[in-house]
Amino acid sequence: MKIASYNINGINARLDNLLRWLAEAKPDVVCLQELKAPDDRFPWKALLAAGYHSIWHGQKSWNGVAILSSYGEIQETRRGLDGDPNDLHSRYIEAFINGIVIGCLYLPNGNPFPGPKFDYKLKWIKRLTKHAKKLNGFDLPVALVGDYNIMPTELDTYKPEKYIDNALFRPEARKLWQILLSQGWTDAFRKMYPEQRIYTFWDYLRNAYQRDAGLRLDHFLLNHKLADKLQSATVEKHVRGWAHSSDHAPVWIEISEARAPHPS
């Protein structure tokens, strides 16, 4: 089973690229972020024609998350996180697909630091951590997938000293990442590449892609029921080089097929 994540950075503007990649890579499940489209503008018909059912939580101009599946109709289990009834951002959607609970998330960027956007980021991570603990209590395999907007270690950026005061690399956010992992989650890419610099994002500025001046922002966290089934992890860097591409590359993991009981 191939589970992918792709911050598409505007689904309608880059729909051709998305469809091209889906046809090329043939993932089974895809978590999309930064749709930048309201619900009524989500291109579900084009995706269905390509063989993917969809659930989505859109937002005009900003944010937005979706899950695609080639397995058929998707059972949505949640959208949004508890803990802030005034938070209207579309950043989390969750589904049960082929025996696995899959949470698709777009964690807040948090810049500029310091400021209210960074404070919101930290609060959002805490809300995610609380929900993740609940998921971990289920007797089901779980994957939390998406753009976390966190570089957990110095291996996750081409130039750590440049990002000292960047919300993506601030110690406050990285500490909360470690607290989340301490629940028993496995960082899939670090499990497969414990010492290697792996990037999933290259800025549009200063020829970052051509210089391979990248960041690792897109992560797969797997609970103990799923981590042992991990077989591979791949960044499709070449897609970032396509014309009109997102600044993120699609990333995916492959896990051994194993169906679980239906959630009650």
Side-chain angles (χ1 to χ4, degrees), residues 150-158 160 169 174 177-178 181 185-200 214-222 227 230 232-235 251-253:
I150 295 175
M151 297 178 283
T153 72
E154 291 191 355
L155 278 178
D156 301 312
T157 167
Y158 76 102
F169 198 54
R174 293 162 64 194
W177 166 270
Q178 292 300 327
L181 259 61
W185 299 95
T186 294
D187 178 345
F189 270 81
R190 274 290 155 248
K191 181 178 180 180
M192 299 303 298
Y193 306 101
E195 307 273 336
Q196 190 171 335
R197 289 190 180 277
I198 301 290
Y199 304 140
T200 65
L215 314 174
R216 186 173 78 104
L217 303 177
D218 305 271
H219 308 305
F220 295 77
L221 296 189
L222 312 180
L230 179 64
S232 63
T234 301
V235 178
V251 293
W252 54 265
I253 61 171

Side-chain angles (χ1 to χ4, degrees), residues 77-92:
T77 56
R78 164 178 284 270
R79 58 177 56 202
L81 294 174
D82 295 335
D84 185 354
N86 297 316
D87 184 4
L88 301 179
H89 289 194
S90 52
R91 294 186 176 276
Y92 187 85

Side-chain angles (χ1 to χ4, degrees), residues 13-29:
R14 296 187 169 87
L15 182 58
D16 288 346
N17 278 14
L18 175 59
L19 294 173
R20 175 184 173 186
W21 171 71
L22 290 172
E24 177 184 287
K26 295 179 171 58
D28 299 301
V29 176

Side-chain angles (χ1 to χ4, degrees), residues 31-51:
C31 295
L32 297 174
Q33 305 88 38
E34 263 197 292
L35 304 178
K36 295 183 177 179
D39 283 343
D40 61 358
R41 292 286 313 281
F42 185 82
W44 65 271
K45 291 182 180 179
L47 292 167
L48 187 60

Side-chain angles (χ1 to χ4, degrees), residues 4-11 14 17-18 21 30-36 62-66 91 104-109 145-149 200-202 204 217-220 239-240 244-251:
S5 182
Y6 193 4
N7 180 322
I8 193 64
N9 194 13
I11 191 167
R14 296 187 169 87
N17 278 14
L18 175 59
W21 171 71
V30 183
C31 295
L32 297 174
Q33 305 88 38
E34 263 197 292
L35 304 178
K36 295 183 177 179
W62 306 102
N63 307 319
V65 284
R91 294 186 176 276
C104 171
L105 62 99
Y106 176 48
L107 199 144
N109 178 290
V145 180
D147 178 359
Y148 281 74
N149 272 316
T200 65
F201 168 92
W202 294 263
Y204 293 125
L217 303 177
D218 305 271
H219 308 305
F220 295 77
V239 177
R240 172 62 179 83
H244 310 297
S245 175
S246 169
D247 42 11
H248 292 252
V251 293

